[in-house]
Amino acid sequence: MTQHLAAPAHHPTSGTHTGWWRDAVIYQVYPRSFADGNGDGMGDLAGIRDRLPYLKELGIDAVWLSPFYASPQADAGYDVADYRAIDPVFGNLHDADALIRAAHELGLRVIVDLVPNHCSDQHDWFRQALREGPGSRLRERFHFRPGKGVNGELPPNDWESIFGGPAWTRVEEPDGNGGEAGGEWYLHLFAPEQPDFNWEHPAVQDEFRSILRFWLDLGADGFRVDVAHGLVKAPGLPDIGGSEQLKLLGNDVMPFFDQDGVHEIYRSWRRILDEYEGQRVLVAEAWTPTVERTALYVRPDEMHQAFNFQYLTTNWDAQELRGVIDGSLAAMRPVGAPTTWVLSNHDVTRHATRFANPPGLGTQLRDQGDRELGLRRARAATLLMLALPGSAYVYQGEELGLPDVTDLPDEVRQDPSFFRAEGQDGFRDGCRVPIPWTRSGSSYGFGSGGSWLPQPDSWGELSVEAQTGVPGSTLELYRAALAVRREHPGLGAGDAVTWLDAPEGVLALARDGFVCTTNTTGADVELPVPGALLLASGPVAFGEGAGGGTVVLPADSTAWWAV
Ligand code: BGC
């Protein structure tokens, strides 16, 4: 395999303020559920490569691939056993190389997922650390501790795992001196199969710098950094002491999240990326208490982007949306990083289903709610998102308007948190069901060998085939929106919006030569015509009002106007 640094030729190549990512639309591929090239029921790299022309035609700029590394799949690949190998279920390194090359040939960038907070319990270091027993130098690369209590039978502190249950597991020591009789405990903020690295250890730091280079050399255009806020823990691993426990998708201040020490790590990574040609990027998955804390991850010498989870968790409410939009733009402005926008990903209920349910229910829903309402709002929300300055993330299948699958039988579920008591994220399988490509056929065109999670009967009518060329379909709406965005490069540019006067429940924002109107109310709203209609998520109707031309913006819809 040869090194190739090829970046799509038409992108600028220098300057923080001209980086390709600043206004990019980045499409998240969840490899196991996108397309199955070898018919084993599980998506793979060959399947993704075959479907790249679809992504090109959709009009996105880059693809972010969730993990495909060698892994026992205890947490769908977020438990990595070897960071330099591909899991056989997804293919091999030649497939990865071929996929990156093919994407570049189409002018698409490729961002890979880096999982530095923890590895798999099958990672060589961890296995050896277990084998060597207490006192092993390799144990220092993780957080091993003796237990509390007379016989060490209690966990070293009171932290709970994000997936439910204690964040510590006691090991069987090699000499048989384990379990209740005295084994050490190790820390895992997630599943027991995901031991946390000790980021104070130089070997851990060196290893990840080397892993970065491995993927940069292979041509990756950047990294989405998993749990970027979790690597450094407060000294002494202090108890929390309260009833409030871990929440990844929350804003609580915790001794294992958002510690100031993480920033030095990202500064050192940034120096590595800057050595490479072609504008490589770092994107933080950082759940922090405030957008201002998130902005610290994207200071000029750290990462380039951070996910805007405050936006993802905002209700379908004009005032709330405006507040978060203003707050996000204001928080990023001082550090000069672009704001990002996201509505769905592989960890949360799809936004078509979130918006189908009453507000305030969180990001793990178990009910379909009012599907028609949800889809209407989802389409409107997407057009609003794509009208904002900065970069937008799209999760596979949202362009088809897919709802979450809320009725998966327990026996097919694979999300590890589903099986642990009181896990907060137990319903993530519902957004991970393989996507439908064709109206009928085996797994609706996902592959020839079925699908690792069952697809609902409604999938055929939501497929790419069923929506292609159908005016008004959600797929054609996304295609049209992304085409407009490319034709009007000003749309994603800049760091500010101008709010125009609008009736209650309506957002009207102006950008250079462009106006976006969003009606978040459940009723039609009549407005003066803002300009020439470019695109709308619902059927707008024109009329003559008292002061001239008016337009009726339907309930829960967005329209784009050229002015
Ligand atoms: C990923 C999850 C994963 C967790 C542990 C996250 O934030 O997005 O899917 O379960 O990290 O790696």
Side-chain angles (χ1 to χ4, degrees):
M1 210 165 313
T2 52
Q3 172 172 325
H4 60 109
L5 304 176
H10 61 275
H11 287 290
T13 53
S14 67
T16 317
H17 290 280
T18 55
W20 64 269
W21 63 86
R22 296 193 68 88
D23 61 353
V25 177
I26 300 171
Y27 183 99
Q28 181 187 357
V29 167
Y30 195 62
R32 52 170 50 214
S33 303
F34 188 67
D36 175 11
N38 67 358
D40 66 355
M42 185 70 80
D44 48 38
L45 299 185
I48 299 168
R49 188 172 151 209
D50 283 352
R51 301 288 184 179
L52 285 175
Y54 165 80
L55 295 177
K56 177 68 185 172
E57 199 188 327
L58 184 59
I60 50 123
D61 300 294
V63 175
W64 148 36
L65 301 165
S66 282
F68 43 58
Y69 312 104
S71 159
Q73 306 291 324
D75 183 21
Y78 282 95
D79 49 318
V80 181
D82 183 347
Y83 290 86
R84 298 179 185 81
I86 307 293
D87 198 273
V89 111
F90 299 124
N92 56 39
L93 271 179
H94 291 283
D95 296 321
D97 182 55
L99 172 58
I100 294 172
R101 283 175 187 278
H104 285 172
E105 274 161 25
L106 289 173
L108 298 173
R109 308 266 182 168
V110 180
I111 294 173
V112 300
D113 215 315
L114 187 71
V115 189
N117 181 66
H118 46 264
C119 58
S120 159
D121 62 352
Q122 297 307 306
H123 189 283
D124 278 349
W125 288 3
F126 192 74
R127 287 167 48 142
Q128 202 179 327
L130 285 189
R131 272 199 306 273
E132 289 179 1
S136 151
R137 301 296 300 272
L138 277 166
R139 290 202 178 190
E140 293 165 13
R141 298 179 186 186
F142 301 91
H143 296 281
F144 276 88
R145 295 283 185 284
K148 285 186 176 163
V150 183
N151 295 312
E153 72 280 10
L154 299 173
N157 72 17
D158 66 356
W159 298 359
E160 285 179 10
S161 150
I162 286 160
F163 290 163
W168 296 89
T169 289
R170 196 175 199 189
V171 303
E172 287 274 329
E173 300 298 2
D175 59 3
N177 183 21
E180 292 306 307
E184 288 191 326
W185 297 71
Y186 67 89
L187 176 70
H188 52 86
L189 292 183
F190 294 87
E193 296 87 352
Q194 293 167 294
D196 279 48
F197 282 116
N198 171 14
W199 269 89
E200 305 296 332
H201 200 292
V204 173
Q205 299 169 8
D206 286 349
E207 173 66 353
F208 273 89
R209 285 193 282 260
S210 155
I211 293 166
L212 285 177
R213 289 186 187 282
F214 179 87
W215 288 100
L216 291 167
D217 288 343
L218 202 73
D221 295 287
F223 303 90
R224 175 262 188 192
V225 181
D226 189 60
V227 197
H229 54 311
L231 277 48
V232 174
K233 278 74 180 173
L237 312 183
D239 278 344
I240 294 166
S243 55
E244 269 304 291
Q245 281 287 334
L246 279 188
K247 286 201 176 50
L248 175 70
L249 314 183
N251 301 329
D252 306 312
V253 178
M254 292 288 172
F256 31 75
F257 279 162
D258 197 30
Q259 300 291 307
D260 289 335
V262 293
H263 297 290
E264 196 42 51
I265 298 170
Y266 302 131
R267 282 188 200 106
S268 82
W269 291 8
R270 175 63 179 265
R271 289 194 288 274
I272 292 175
L273 264 75
D274 284 348
E275 289 172 21
Y276 282 78
E277 290 173 42
Q279 295 190 335
R280 318 297 175 102
V281 298
L282 290 167
V283 183
E285 186 216 19
W287 293 83
T288 68
T290 61
V291 274
E292 288 73 22
R293 291 291 304 179
T294 304
L296 299 179
Y297 290 76
V298 289
R299 286 175 285 191
D301 58 349
E302 294 193 38
M303 302 217 203
H304 301 81
Q305 284 189 348
F307 290 118
N308 186 345
F309 293 123
Q310 277 83 5
Y311 188 68
L312 184 148
T313 49
T314 304
N315 293 314
W316 184 239
D317 174 277
Q319 227 181 329
E320 282 185 45
L321 284 163
R322 181 170 167 167
V324 171
I325 292 168
D326 281 341
S328 307
L329 291 168
M332 293 299 148
R333 217 169 279 132
V335 292
T339 308
T340 65
W341 313 101
V342 60
L343 291 165
S344 282
N345 66 33
H346 66 294
D347 288 330
V348 298
T349 299
R350 287 181 176 278
H351 63 284
T353 302
R354 287 206 314 277
F355 292 145
N357 279 281
L361 295 182
T363 54
Q364 297 291 317
L365 305 192
R366 297 158 206 194
D367 219 312
Q368 284 295 296
D370 178 342
R371 271 181 67 167
E372 214 182 290
L373 174 71
L375 181 57
R376 216 165 51 229
R377 289 178 172 174
R379 291 162 53 103
T382 296
L383 283 200
L384 172 61
M385 169 174 88
L386 293 175
L388 297 173
S391 173
Y393 280 80
V394 169
Y395 176 50
Q396 68 177 37
E398 71 170 73
E399 78 276 21
L400 304 175
L402 294 186
D404 232 60
V405 181
T406 48
D407 58 356
L408 287 170
D410 290 359
E411 58 276 14
V412 304
R413 288 189 182 274
Q414 301 211 7
D415 182 352
S417 57
F418 181 76
F419 302 98
R420 287 172 65 83
E422 295 162 29
Q424 73 166 49
D425 293 337
F427 292 87
R428 298 181 303 174
D429 289 313
C431 62
R432 299 174 176 181
V433 173
I435 63 172
W437 294 91
T438 53
R439 269 209 179 84
S440 55
S442 164
S443 59
Y444 301 105
F446 167 66
S448 57
S451 143
W452 68 277
L453 280 174
Q455 299 155 302
D457 293 343
S458 58
W459 246 216
E461 282 319 302
L462 295 172
S463 65
V464 172
E465 181 186 32
Q467 297 195 40
T468 295
V470 176
S473 71
T474 302
L475 177 56
E476 293 302 341
L477 181 71
Y478 270 73
R479 285 180 173 151
L482 294 172
V484 173
R485 215 177 132 105
R486 287 178 92 80
E487 280 156 25
H488 296 72
L491 246 179
D495 62 6
V497 298
T498 305
W499 296 105
L500 307 176
D501 286 340
E504 203 181 325
V506 175
L507 293 172
L509 64 90
R511 320 279 327 279
D512 211 8
F514 177 88
V515 166
C516 170
T517 51
T518 298
N519 177 4
T520 66
T521 74
D524 294 351
V525 171
E526 193 166 1
L527 301 170
V529 174
L533 183 66
L534 287 169
L535 190 64
S537 70
V540 295
F542 292 93
E544 285 303 318
T550 59
V551 59
V552 176
L553 201 57
D556 300 308
S557 70
T558 293
W560 286 2
W561 311 88
V563 294

